[in-house]
Amino acid sequence: MEYRFSKRLAHVTPSVLRENAKKNMSAENTISFAYGFPSTQAFPMDTLREISEKLYTQYNPDTFLQYAPSEGYPILRKLIKERLDERCGIHNDEEVIVVSGSSQAMDLTVKALCDEGDIVLCEEQTFSGAVKAIQSYGAIPMPIPMNIGEQSVDLDALETLLRENDRVKMIYIIPTFQNPLGTSMPLEKRQALYDLAHRYDIIIFEDDPYGDLLYYGEPIAKIKSLDVDERVIYAGSFSKILAPSTRLGFAMAAKPLLDKLVVAKQVADSHSNYYWQVMLTEYMLNYDFEGHVDYLRDIYRERLDAMTEALNKLPADKISYIKPTGGYFIGCTMAGDVDPELFYEALNTCNVAVIPGNIMSVTGEGYEHDFRLNFTRPSVEEIKSGIAFIGQALQAASHPSYQTVS
Ligand SMILES: Cc1ncc(COP(=O)(O)O)c(C=O)c1O
């Protein structure tokens, strides 16, 4: 039969990252810097086994295997809110909704706020899941140019976009440990972005799945903590600090927004995984969850250091990057005389996988000289040898006649 699909999904292609992950999971002898995955060592197996055992032996099955409230398990919602208050300086009386991964927070938000043709402004290189969520409702993701040196969107360019487009509904932004760039917006830029959103009366979606994973320096205030007029939807995730398979994330927003997200969620999946919500609640209440997050910071800091040490051994005229202070990724740029096609080909030959810039760009093209490296999944040994291969590929793909027009 010939299927007549909706126009809405006609231009939304399968996620290259998800497809890549499937391939790389099974590929032998591949050093993958492509994943946005936690390390295998990151999962607190013994604690999870103990809590699960407790649920099955001491809990009434109705309290973790039954249907649950769409907003989420009340105790967990309270714990998340307290955590945001204590650890992120987000003090307000807004509530949180538990969602199925922070990806769902974005999906529900676009569903609740955007009509076809509405515009969502995004950093020019960003999380492709968000771009697809925007497209899937017929809204338009529009890139905001970055000022990489300032680790921020270009605020003048943002103002121009806001002035010239009257259908902008929302700014989608990853201000902390950005994916794919690894950058973190300084506080004054966050405040300036918030002020612009206020002036043009636009909602901000602050996506913060990596925020807990700070390895160096002091945390920077969340945009949500600057939110004096309830225009910021703040989303967090337990994928990176517990396990992606829990599919647990959350969103904090003002009541009218949250009520809409709840309606959208009821349509989507009724509620998020109750078993995992109760598991997480037990963990946060009766076990050392913050100790686990500290442990993750320690193992990932070591990997970040190994990667930057290895990158620093490569010729500085061939590759540049900004060292992140946290998160999962380092965004790299190869020099103009490196032919990206030859570079990716050479990497393929030595079984090293990275994410090329075009995959993480809002338009799906350009940025061939940029690539993303993940440092949380590979071991220190893999990092050392994989980055050395990247050095060889850069040399192999460099030729004096090749020069991009910048
Ligand atoms: C910026 C960003 N937002 C959201 C997500 C999705 O996270 P979750 O597993 O909570 O849906 C990711 C995951 O890769 C991400 O990088």
Side-chain angles (χ1 to χ4, degrees), residues 101-103 127 172 174 179 207 209-210 237 239-240 247-248 329:
S102 58
S103 319
F127 173 51
Y172 168 79
I174 314 163
N179 178 9
D207 197 7
Y210 305 101
S237 174
S239 290
K240 315 297 175 179
R247 304 309 305 127
L248 289 184
F329 306 111

Side-chain angles (χ1 to χ4, degrees), residues 120-174:
V120 180
L121 299 176
C122 312
E123 290 140 313
E124 60 188 334
Q125 294 182 77
T126 190
F127 173 51
S128 53
V131 171
K132 285 176 193 303
I134 296 163
Q135 290 168 331
S136 72
Y137 292 102
I140 302 165
M142 191 176 277
I144 317 167
M146 295 290 292
N147 186 331
I148 292 292
E150 291 183 346
Q151 303 206 33
S152 169
V153 289
D154 179 332
L155 291 159
D156 292 334
L158 172 60
E159 173 146 35
T160 305
L161 287 167
L162 288 168
R163 199 173 45 237
E164 291 179 354
N165 294 284
D166 59 0
R167 289 203 60 186
V168 176
K169 267 277 166 74
M170 183 162 76
I171 299 170
Y172 168 79
I173 191 130
I174 314 163

Side-chain angles (χ1 to χ4, degrees), residues 123-126 146 148 151-152 177-184 321-324 329-333 360 367 370-372:
E123 290 140 313
E124 60 188 334
Q125 294 182 77
T126 190
M146 295 290 292
I148 292 292
Q151 303 206 33
S152 169
F177 318 138
Q178 212 263 4
N179 178 9
L181 300 169
T183 49
S184 290
Y321 72 95
I322 290 175
K323 182 172 179 172
F329 306 111
I330 300 183
C332 296
T333 305
M360 305 293 289
Y367 306 93
D370 295 340
F371 59 96
R372 184 190 84 178

Side-chain angles (χ1 to χ4, degrees), residues 71-82 84 90-98 224 230 232-235 250-259 261-262:
E71 292 84 347
Y73 187 36
I75 313 173
L76 179 60
R77 294 175 67 204
K78 184 165 165 283
L79 289 171
I80 292 171
K81 205 174 140 43
E82 282 170 8
L84 290 177
I90 297 177
H91 319 294
N92 60 39
D93 50 18
E94 292 176 9
E95 296 294 332
V96 297
I97 175 177
V98 177
K224 184 69 191 164
E230 302 187 331
V232 181
I233 299 174
Y234 176 85
F250 60 89
M252 172 184 260
K255 190 168 183 333
L257 281 169
L258 208 78
D259 287 349
L261 297 188
V262 172

